[in-house]
Amino acid sequence: MKRIYTILLIASTLFFFACQQEENLAGGATGYLRLTVNEDMSTNSRAVPENYKPEQIAVQIVNEEGETVKETEDWELWGGKPIELPVGKYTIKASSNGFDGKDAGFDIPYYTGSKEVTITANGEANETIICKLANVKVTVNYDAALLAKVRSVAATVDDDAVSNGTSATYSLAFPSTEPRSGYFPVSRLFANITVVNNEGVSNSMRKELTDAEGNPVKARDHFILNIKESGTGESGITVTVDPTTHEYSYTFNVSTKPTSGATLTAGAWDRLAYLKATNVSTGTSVSTEGMKFQYRAAAETETLAEDEEAGWTDVVTTTEENNYTAMLTGLAAATAYEYRLVNGDGDVIATQSFTTGKADAQTALVNGGFDDWYLLEAKLGFMGADSKTWYPCSSQYYTDNGASYWDSSNPGTTQGMGSMSGGLNPTQGTTEVKHSGTHAAHLETQWAVLKLAAASLYTGKFNSLVGASGAKIDFGQPFTSRPVALKGWYQYAPEMIDDEKQEVGNSGVLETGDSDLCAIYIILAKGVHQVDNTNTSTLLTMENVWKDNNFIAYGELPADQCVDTEGEWKEFTIPLQYKEGQFGEQPTHLIIVCTSSKYGDYFTGAVGSTLYVDDFSLVYEGTPAIWKNK
């Protein structure tokens, strides 16, 4: 119920000295005034005073200069009496006496109101001030049926400091024996409900109190928290709103079953999400048979769950060592969803939510057909020798960007000291052996005077040589899409490893007499990755990619396909495996690497091993593969 306190202020007819009456009527009348300046008892008060009476309204009358000209601790002392004031404009301030409302407690409503009034000569002003509730009211109701079935149930309401890991500024506990309403200063408020069932298992839930639009609380809001036992198909929190009275009724459906929940995580894209449940534990009377995920679009009120079971969709769920996973497909972009883990009996183990991202762009691969090639001629060689370097791009692309989207090992053999090799270009375009279009990429492992030079083709940029036997490469081009696979065509003709040609190197894998291997792989990364092939910890091996969180997804051509294709073009599809723990993350760079000698970074390979690649493209349709946590 709303309380209204009315203050009647009567500015009496002013009395003047007779000799001044006429001349002062034009310039503003002056009356008798005795100024009394008292301590402002309605401010600077943190603690609620003893015997606080909210209905006792203190009043201040403040002139245009901000001075308090009259005040009282109880407006009723002025009731029916005229108040003599000089002509002018005033602000009348009224509030509950002795308390500023900046604390939480039971039965401590705080009322405030103000109004501007103008006093005229010989006039009489009658004004009414309505003092309104300035804090937030919270009432907690416990269902008797619930209290009879549990060991204990309690609610607390606190401000947002708890979620920041610090002590709450305002906190009130509402035990089941507390019938009074609590009052809070206007701030973000959270309700915490904890139930301990008869088996001693505790279930808790936490929910921010908001209005109908999801906005934080405001003055005069009244939140009614109804705590009851969940029935069949009921769980979580529902909200009903009465906007005419600013009342918000929250119903907390709490389970008396001895469930302790699970840790739920969701990695969401624009159109799909990967769900996982770990740390799943249940009480003795709750079955673990038939565990599965369910999901549905979140309600407009953004509650964690609804009273009713409508809308839940079962998801095919994989069980592995008490962990449960599922892939949701066919979702809508930028949409909130709820999901939960339930058993075969319909018991809800845990509930959580996620929101899909905005629609991902399905970016096409630049020059994926390798039809564009550009020969850059410059005086960049050793001792000023001519440098002729082939780049897999058009001359216009190179001019516009100052570099090629794809780069190769060519700069290492044609520029700087690399020009001593005679300007070899291990990677070039070819029109003689191609799958389609005008060109294919021709990668051939060669000997570059001092070291083996495995031909390579990659998205990124050659950085620099490291001494006479190494190189730094910046792998990656800007890219924010999330494909599920890389498709293309390749043809490979390997040579045998020959120790006399110093081709064995230090890979520790291939030995004299082994056939060389090629490599094609794709990586999604969060930034450019620099490889220094004199430092093996920087190489893009599967092990290094797995332990570095800057890499999100990885895929490579299987080793049994990196062999002689006997002069035939072979189509390949490399699925991208997304790391389970980073599934929802967005990449910033794309890395694709092809090489005619897989272990060329270790200077292991065979001179003459030749790899042709053509018609590369990214696949976006389908379900992504998951790289399971080790």
Side-chain angles (χ1 to χ4, degrees):
M1 179 179 295
K2 184 187 302 179
R3 295 198 181 194
I4 299 176
Y5 299 98
T6 302
I7 301 173
L8 179 63
L9 296 180
I10 303 176
S12 68
T13 302
L14 303 179
F15 297 93
F16 306 93
F17 293 108
C19 63
Q20 295 178 329
Q21 184 174 3
E22 291 185 359
E23 63 185 62
N24 285 337
L25 284 176
T30 302
Y32 295 105
L33 177 64
R34 185 182 297 273
L35 291 177
T36 301
V37 179
N38 295 327
E39 180 183 0
D40 181 358
M41 297 186 66
S42 66
T43 59
N44 301 321
S45 174
R46 261 308 306 268
V48 181
E50 188 176 359
N51 300 321
Y52 168 61
K53 297 179 180 179
E55 297 85 355
Q56 182 178 327
I57 304 298
V59 176
Q60 293 177 309
I61 302 176
V62 182
N63 63 19
E64 289 185 282
E65 287 71 38
E67 300 170 331
T68 301
V69 297
K70 285 187 181 294
E71 64 182 335
T72 179
E73 295 181 10
D74 187 351
W75 79 273
E76 292 184 353
L77 298 176
W78 287 355
K81 299 178 181 179
I83 302 170
E84 186 176 351
L85 294 171
V87 169
K89 293 182 178 181
Y90 298 88
T91 300
I92 307 167
K93 298 180 179 180
S95 61
S96 297
N97 183 50
F99 175 49
D100 61 2
K102 296 181 180 178
D103 203 355
F106 292 102
D107 289 344
I108 56 166
Y110 175 65
Y111 300 96
T112 63
S114 67
K115 198 166 190 179
E116 292 185 354
V117 61
T118 300
I119 303 301
T120 60
N122 295 322
E124 184 174 286
N126 297 302
E127 297 292 343
T128 300
I129 297 178
I130 299 177
C131 293
K132 299 179 180 180
L133 186 68
N135 43 15
V136 180
K137 182 178 180 180
V138 178
T139 303
V140 178
N141 300 320
Y142 293 91
D143 182 57
L146 171 65
L147 295 177
K149 293 184 179 181
V150 298
R151 185 177 299 179
S152 67
V153 58
T156 61
V157 176
D158 55 55
D159 66 0
D160 192 40
V162 171
S163 65
N164 295 327
T166 59
S167 298
T169 308
Y170 313 115
S171 180
L172 283 183
F174 292 80
S176 58
T177 55
E178 177 57 73
R180 297 175 297 174
S181 295
Y183 292 83
F184 294 82
V186 176
S187 58
R188 293 185 68 187
L189 296 179
F190 290 77
N192 307 273
I193 313 299
T194 300
V195 177
V196 180
N197 61 29
N198 288 327
E199 295 190 17
V201 178
S202 175
N203 292 323
S204 298
M205 60 177 65
R206 178 175 172 85
K207 173 67 177 175
E208 181 175 5
L209 303 181
T210 63
D211 66 12
E213 289 73 37
N215 300 310
V217 301
K218 57 186 178 297
R220 300 175 62 198
D221 282 351
H222 182 194
F223 292 90
I224 303 171
L225 312 183
N226 300 304
I227 304 172
K228 68 174 188 175
E229 179 186 10
S230 60
T232 303
E234 292 181 327
S235 63
I237 305 164
T238 60
V239 182
T240 57
V241 180
D242 182 356
T244 62
T245 60
H246 293 265
E247 286 191 353
Y248 304 91
S249 181
Y250 279 74
T251 299
F252 291 79
N253 297 300
V254 295
S255 174
T256 59
K257 294 184 179 181
T259 57
S260 53
T263 300
L264 301 185
T265 57
W269 291 11
D270 60 339
R271 65 192 189 281
L272 51 84
Y274 178 72
L275 310 182
K276 185 174 183 179
T278 57
N279 303 319
V280 178
S281 58
T282 62
T284 56
S285 63
V286 177
S287 173
T288 59
E289 294 297 320
M291 287 285 202
K292 62 185 176 182
F293 281 105
Q294 295 178 325
Y295 80 101
R296 66 181 178 185
E300 293 182 0
T301 54
E302 298 183 357
T303 58
L304 294 179
E306 298 285 348
D307 266 343
E308 50 200 49
E309 288 293 280
W312 289 107
T313 300
D314 292 344
V315 186
V316 176
T317 302
T318 301
T319 304
E320 185 178 354
E321 297 180 355
N322 203 33
N323 292 331
Y324 303 89
T325 59
M327 182 72 75
L328 303 184
T329 60
L331 304 180
T335 302
Y337 289 90
E338 301 168 340
Y339 68 102
R340 65 186 188 181
L341 184 69
V342 300
N343 66 9
D345 296 328
D347 297 319
V348 179
I349 307 303
T351 303
Q352 195 50 268
S353 60
F354 66 87
T355 301
T356 53
K358 63 181 181 180
D360 282 350
Q362 297 188 358
T363 306
L365 197 56
V366 176
N367 196 28
F370 306 115
D371 291 327
D372 296 330
W373 293 87
Y374 169 56
L375 181 62
L376 176 65
E377 301 184 65
K379 289 283 187 179
L380 297 174
F382 184 65
M383 301 295 290
D386 290 341
S387 170
K388 296 182 179 181
T389 308
W390 279 104
Y391 287 96
C393 68
S394 66
S395 60
Q396 187 63 52
Y397 186 97
Y398 195 95
T399 300
D400 292 343
N401 297 277
S404 174
Y405 188 87
W406 296 87
D407 208 340
S408 68
S409 55
N410 293 351
T413 59
T414 60
Q415 301 174 12
M417 293 184 64
S419 63
M420 293 174 60
S421 65
L424 297 176
N425 276 275
T427 302
Q428 300 182 45
T430 178
T431 59
E432 297 179 358
V433 181
K434 62 182 184 294
H435 179 257
S436 70
T438 60
H439 292 76
H442 172 202
L443 291 72
E444 183 176 346
T445 301
Q446 302 186 33
W447 186 259
V449 181
L450 299 176
K451 285 286 184 180
L452 186 82
S456 63
L457 180 67
Y458 54 86
T459 56
K461 181 177 175 58
F462 183 87
N463 186 296
S464 61
L465 291 170
V466 179
S469 59
K472 292 182 179 179
I473 297 174
D474 295 332
F475 284 102
Q477 290 287 2
F479 185 84
T480 58
S481 298
R482 285 181 280 211
V484 299
L486 171 68
K487 288 185 64 175
W489 293 80
Y490 74 108
Q491 187 178 137
Y492 187 50
E495 297 290 338
M496 304 297 289
I497 305 294
D498 187 341
D499 188 28
E500 293 183 1
K501 295 180 180 178
Q502 301 180 8
E503 296 174 340
V504 175
N506 59 352
S507 71
V509 179
L510 297 181
E511 299 178 354
T512 301
D514 289 340
S515 177
D516 204 356
L517 297 172
C518 66
I520 302 173
Y521 56 92
I522 177 174
I523 301 172
L524 296 183
K526 296 188 293 184
V528 171
H529 177 76
Q530 186 175 95
V531 165
D532 178 350
N533 66 358
T534 65
N535 179 358
T536 57
S537 68
T538 69
L539 300 181
L540 292 173
T541 63
M542 180 180 290
E543 291 73 19
N544 289 343
V545 170
W546 172 256
K547 64 185 180 182
D548 190 338
N549 289 336
N550 287 317
F551 299 119
I552 296 173
Y554 178 87
E556 66 174 335
L557 190 68
D560 60 3
Q561 296 183 38
C562 298
V563 295
D564 196 340
T565 64
E566 299 178 350
E568 299 291 333
W569 281 101
K570 284 194 173 183
E571 186 177 18
F572 69 84
T573 299
I574 301 175
L576 263 166
Q577 297 186 77
Y578 285 82
K579 290 183 181 178
E580 186 177 44
Q582 297 178 247
F583 185 81
E585 296 182 14
Q586 190 93 22
T588 63
H589 286 75
L590 170 67
I591 300 172
I592 299 177
V593 180
C594 309
T595 178
S596 55
S597 293
K598 181 174 184 177
Y599 298 103
D601 286 325
Y602 300 92
F603 304 105
T604 299
V607 172
S609 293
T610 302
L611 173 67
Y612 297 95
V613 292
D614 203 359
D615 295 331
F616 279 19
S617 63
L618 298 172
V619 179
Y620 290 95
E621 298 302 320
T623 302
I626 299 298
W627 195 354
K628 291 282 188 177
N629 293 339
K630 296 181 180 179

